[in-house]
Amino acid sequence: NQAEEMRILYVAMTRARYSLHVVCDGVRPGGFKGKAERFADFLNAEHFECLVHGEGEPLGFLSKPRTILMSEQDDALTERMLKNLDFEYPYKISASMPVKRSVTQLSEKPPAFYERTEAETDAERGTNFHKFMQYVDFDRISQKELKEQIIGMKKRGIIESDDGIAVEAAEEILSGELFAEIKKGKIYREKQFLLRLSSADIYEGGAAEDSIVVQGIIDLFSVTDKGAILVDYKLTSLKNDGDVREVYKTQLEIYKTAVEKFYGIKVVKMAIINLTNSKIIYF
């Protein structure tokens, strides 16, 4: 579409703020004649102040000669210029720090996931199981009851399918000692927060006086007589508990800080539940 091509060229040429340099293989004398095979065919050579006529020739000419003024070398000025050019901004790290981050973005090492299959993606698997854990009734945890809850969640549109939800693993998790403790307290799920933290607590080399706003969602915590129990769900294939702790320790510490600050209660226990293998890793 020639009209569309002309509009594209117009937008490109009108973005210049100070000067416009067009590089092309020749410009038609007299300008556009009604048919164009390239952008240069729309241009009129008479409107250009500086033209290049061919390979190997001088880089065009100007309608008015340009005067160049030169002086003797000033060593003091040269030294000052070099010093200015070598200047390093003392707050470069602070300037590169983001103002706001999500808790997930603070993980320096991305978690490893299931290998992708044709039927489902890793994200879908994790989302289904995570959604199930978000809404499951902790008092109805037999396999039969869990299956009934899955059916109910599908009907209500909470989950699209039961792909990735391991009922046996869910029963094992929910019937263990950790959830026995959790059920004794007041349970909070999917609590969102905004927290201002020192960049020195998050990034290596961060300045203590610089702050970052961190946004996150705590999967689950329970306020008991002994203190708060904090739980985060992960779908990860990291097999070594130490690797899991290393990857997610920053997230858990931020969740801990948020709970203690906003709810005024000490966190006495933190754990990640690996939805891949129903393993609980304590911190």
Side-chain angles (χ1 to χ4, degrees):
N1 185 306
Q2 188 163 280
E4 181 64 22
E5 296 295 324
M6 293 178 72
R7 282 192 288 269
I8 293 173
L9 179 62
Y10 169 80
V11 170
M13 295 184 68
T14 54
R15 298 310 92 177
R17 296 184 62 182
Y18 302 108
S19 62
L20 175 67
H21 301 265
V22 179
V23 180
C24 58
D25 184 17
V27 179
R28 287 184 178 182
F32 182 50
K33 301 297 184 181
K35 184 178 180 181
E37 297 178 351
R38 53 185 184 157
F39 283 125
D41 291 341
F42 294 120
L43 305 178
N44 187 341
E46 298 173 359
H47 295 158
F48 286 84
E49 189 179 54
C50 177
L51 299 176
V52 178
H53 298 294
E55 185 177 354
E57 296 183 9
L59 188 59
F61 62 87
L62 292 172
S63 57
K64 296 180 180 180
R66 180 179 296 174
T67 302
I68 300 177
L69 302 178
M70 301 185 67
S71 65
E72 296 293 331
Q73 180 172 327
D74 186 331
D75 293 335
L77 178 61
T78 301
E79 184 178 351
R80 193 169 66 182
M81 291 176 63
L82 291 174
K83 184 178 179 180
N84 290 338
L85 291 172
D86 291 337
F87 172 78
E88 287 192 9
Y89 183 58
Y91 306 105
K92 185 165 57 176
I93 295 178
S94 297
S96 64
M97 292 288 179
V99 176
K100 181 181 177 183
R101 299 286 279 176
S102 71
V103 176
T104 304
Q105 290 173 321
L106 296 177
S107 291
E108 293 184 355
K109 299 178 182 178
F113 292 104
Y114 279 109
E115 290 185 2
R116 197 172 298 277
T117 66
E118 294 182 0
E120 62 194 4
T121 66
D122 303 328
E124 289 167 347
R125 290 179 61 90
T127 300
N128 286 338
F129 207 158
H130 192 283
K131 277 287 186 183
F132 170 75
M133 293 298 291
Q134 179 181 344
Y135 289 94
V136 66
D137 184 346
F138 294 154
D139 294 320
R140 299 174 57 221
I141 57 174
S142 69
Q143 290 194 31
K144 179 181 177 182
E145 291 171 326
L146 292 174
K147 290 178 181 178
E148 290 173 350
Q149 292 191 64
I150 291 173
I151 294 172
M153 290 182 196
K154 287 165 66 176
K155 288 181 178 179
R156 299 198 304 273
I158 295 173
I159 56 176
E160 295 184 0
S161 70
D162 56 2
D163 289 340
I165 302 176
V167 175
E168 292 183 7
E171 181 188 34
E172 182 179 347
I173 293 169
L174 297 173
S175 61
E177 294 181 3
L178 177 61
F179 275 85
E181 289 184 75
I182 288 172
K183 288 190 287 185
K184 292 178 182 178
K186 183 176 181 181
I187 297 173
Y188 297 85
R189 306 194 199 193
E190 300 296 311
K191 285 296 180 181
Q192 301 184 36
F193 67 87
L194 282 174
L195 185 65
R196 186 181 296 276
L197 297 173
S198 167
S199 65
D201 296 332
I202 301 174
Y203 296 105
E204 183 178 350
E209 62 271 18
D210 293 335
S211 61
I212 297 175
V213 175
V214 179
Q215 179 180 13
I217 301 175
I218 303 172
D219 288 340
L220 171 69
F221 69 95
S222 174
V223 178
T224 70
D225 294 337
K226 298 179 180 179
I229 302 171
L230 194 154
V231 174
D232 192 44
Y233 306 129
K234 297 296 181 189
L235 185 77
T236 173
S237 59
L238 291 171
K239 298 178 180 179
N240 185 282
D241 290 358
D243 292 339
V244 175
R245 293 188 184 96
E246 179 65 24
V247 170
Y248 296 111
K249 65 180 180 181
T250 300
Q251 289 189 33
L252 268 292
E253 287 296 328
I254 291 174
Y255 292 151
K256 176 184 177 182
T257 301
V259 170
E260 293 181 343
K261 180 175 182 178
F262 296 124
Y263 292 86
I265 187 167
K266 184 176 179 59
V267 174
V268 296
K269 185 176 292 187
M270 297 191 298
I272 276 181
I273 297 179
N274 187 350
L275 301 179
T276 306
N277 55 19
S278 70
K279 190 172 184 180
I280 300 174
I281 299 100
Y282 291 97
F283 284 71

